[in-house]
Amino acid sequence: MSGTTVDPRLSSRAAPRRQHRLSWSDPLVRNIVWQVLIIGAVIGVLWYLIGNTNRNLEARRIATGFAFLGRTAGIPIGEHLIDYDPAISTYGDALVVGILNTLKVALAGVVLATILGTLVGIGRLSRNWLVAKATAIYVEALRDLPLLLQLLFWYGLLQSLPAPRQAITLGEAMFLSNRGIKVPLLDWQPAHWWALAAFLLGLVGTWAWNRTSHRRQEQTGVRPPVWPVAVGLLIGFPALIWAALGAPFTLEYPVLRGFNFQGGGTISPEYGALLIGLTTYTSSFIAEIVRSGILAVPNGQSEAAAALGLRQGTILRLVVLPQALRVIIPPMTSQYLNLTKNSSLAVAIGYQDLVSVASTTLNQTGQAIEGIALIMAVYLTISLAISLFMNWYNARIALVER
């Protein structure tokens, strides 16, 4: 009806805009004022600290800056993954060697601790009484002992091994002594670099084919097999490149000459003790994370899989662990970060990592601020890289609500 009167209270209208006043009673004004004051206070403190530090350094005639990185280091480093000569190499080269040594122990420790921790965590849930109790003792003993004490124990144990002349023979070409473990070493040639590049390309190709296979399964319900393509790209393609370039394969064996072994590769006691200590200590925490993650999966999942006739190993691998990863990954990230940062304890057993090399550098150059800043920057970069990767992987496996 045209004459119907509409109640103005029921008509839709925009909410009135709130008027802000320049008054302390206005929450927006208070928030802006407090934020400006806090930011100003932080800037003021930093300005004072930097100015005070510069004045003290000038008063003591201490040089500043990073020009020292171009000077000849003269620091002897026993283990290095790149060419290093203390008579020629600079402090910058020495720090790069220290960074690579840190990464070498951190990456190997993360992989080994993950494998060992997963096995121990599964073992704690075993129905076998002996396995369950043995893994429980392993976890409780290693978690409750300080890491530094464990590193000193492993280092002392490796140092107590017999001398090279009385070395323990492992197989035909491996020797264990107080100088470390001597192993055969592959004579690396350009063909091996090309084969490695082919393997990396194969990884990319396998990943791309796996995604394509997954999309086809969603569209047609039939999943093309992935493993034949993976075998061809990861094994066949690198082997073909290696064979086409002459298939070089020469091993350099360690030989006892005088009081020590010559040739071959060496796993030093310092590196071995650090790797064993970090791996066993971190794996005890990872084991508890894995155990709690498995227990977080509802029992109905395992019971349903068992009702279908699946074996326990298959149920654990295909049903339980994929769901448990959503609980395991976040705390596992913290353990990876802890392992990387705990590698700085290497200085206690003589392994020349980043902290050890940087400490020697700042003692020789007197530029402690720059040296400590470099250590902090490297560890921050490594930690952020680990966090970004683990967060990306955690987002990939997270449940997506529809």
Side-chain angles (χ1 to χ4, degrees):
M1 297 174 59
S2 59
T4 304
T5 303
V6 180
D7 189 347
R9 295 175 298 178
L10 301 179
S11 60
S12 59
R13 58 182 180 179
R17 297 183 60 181
R18 182 176 179 179
Q19 300 295 328
H20 296 287
R21 298 178 303 157
L22 190 59
S23 172
W24 188 252
S25 60
D26 191 334
L28 180 61
V29 173
R30 290 201 304 270
N31 291 338
I32 294 176
V33 171
W34 279 117
Q35 292 179 28
V36 170
L37 290 176
I38 292 173
I39 294 175
V42 172
I43 294 176
V45 171
L46 291 177
W47 184 273
Y48 169 76
L49 292 176
I50 294 174
N52 185 57
T53 301
N54 289 331
R55 286 192 298 271
N56 290 333
L57 291 175
E58 292 176 359
R60 291 165 175 77
R61 298 181 180 179
I62 299 177
T64 58
F66 295 92
F68 70 95
L69 295 177
R71 289 157 46 188
T72 303
I75 304 175
I77 302 178
E79 300 183 51
H80 44 85
L81 297 177
I82 60 175
D83 293 335
Y84 178 81
D85 185 351
I88 302 174
S89 301
T90 62
Y91 284 112
D93 298 329
L95 289 173
V96 171
V97 171
I99 294 172
L100 293 177
N101 286 345
T102 296
L103 292 175
K104 181 173 71 171
V105 71
L107 294 177
V110 163
V111 174
L112 295 177
T114 301
I115 297 173
L116 181 59
T118 301
L119 295 177
V120 173
I122 295 173
R124 290 211 61 185
L125 300 173
S126 175
R127 297 177 181 177
N128 186 299
W129 182 88
L130 181 60
V131 173
K133 294 301 180 183
T135 51
I137 293 173
Y138 173 91
V139 169
E140 296 302 329
L142 293 177
R143 284 199 311 170
D144 296 337
L145 291 175
L147 176 57
L148 181 58
L149 181 62
Q150 296 186 42
L151 295 179
L152 294 175
F153 167 78
W154 289 113
Y155 183 62
L157 182 64
L158 294 179
Q159 286 291 326
S160 64
L161 292 173
R165 286 180 175 273
Q166 293 80 34
I168 301 173
T169 302
L170 304 174
E172 297 183 356
M174 296 179 62
F175 305 93
L176 181 61
S177 69
N178 57 8
R179 302 292 180 88
I181 302 176
K182 299 293 295 186
V183 296
L185 185 64
L186 177 65
D187 182 15
W188 198 264
Q189 299 183 18
H192 299 114
W193 286 114
W194 285 108
L196 178 61
F199 176 78
L200 296 177
L201 289 176
L203 280 178
V204 176
T206 302
W207 172 79
W209 175 250
N210 183 62
R211 288 180 59 88
T212 303
S213 178
H214 182 70
R215 285 196 299 267
R216 289 186 181 179
Q217 183 182 17
E218 292 180 344
Q219 296 172 357
T220 64
V222 179
R223 182 181 179 87
V226 177
W227 70 266
V229 177
V231 171
L233 291 177
L234 298 178
I235 299 178
F237 183 46
L240 181 63
I241 297 296
W242 173 67
L245 295 177
F249 189 80
T250 304
L251 293 177
E252 181 184 0
Y253 293 93
V255 178
L256 180 63
R257 294 177 181 173
F259 296 99
N260 199 0
F261 290 95
Q262 301 293 329
T266 305
I267 302 176
S268 67
E270 294 80 12
Y271 177 78
L274 182 63
L275 183 61
I276 294 174
L278 290 175
T279 299
T280 54
Y281 180 75
T282 308
S283 67
S284 63
F285 291 91
I286 292 178
E288 287 298 275
I289 294 173
V290 171
R291 183 176 71 91
S292 62
I294 293 175
L295 292 177
V297 178
N299 291 332
Q301 299 290 322
S302 302
E303 294 171 355
L308 295 175
L310 298 180
R311 297 182 178 180
Q312 289 297 322
T314 305
I315 294 173
L316 180 65
R317 181 169 56 90
L318 299 179
V319 178
V320 177
L321 280 180
Q323 299 182 69
L325 281 177
R326 300 182 179 97
V327 180
I328 291 173
I329 293 301
M332 188 85 81
T333 303
S334 298
Q335 294 306 316
Y336 291 166
L337 296 176
N338 289 336
L339 186 147
T340 303
K341 291 180 289 187
N342 287 336
S343 65
S344 60
L345 294 174
V347 66
I349 57 176
Y351 179 71
Q352 291 175 295
D353 69 331
L354 170 64
V355 174
S356 176
V357 174
S359 299
T360 304
T361 299
L362 64 90
N363 286 332
Q364 291 184 356
T365 61
Q367 298 185 249
I369 295 177
E370 290 83 353
I372 294 175
L374 287 173
I375 296 175
M376 294 172 62
V378 170
Y379 276 107
L380 180 61
T381 303
I382 297 174
S383 298
L384 289 177
I386 294 174
S387 298
L388 288 174
F389 174 77
M390 295 300 292
N391 290 337
W392 169 82
Y393 182 69
N394 186 45
R396 291 272 300 176
I397 65 174
L399 288 175
V400 179
E401 297 183 358
R402 298 183 183 274

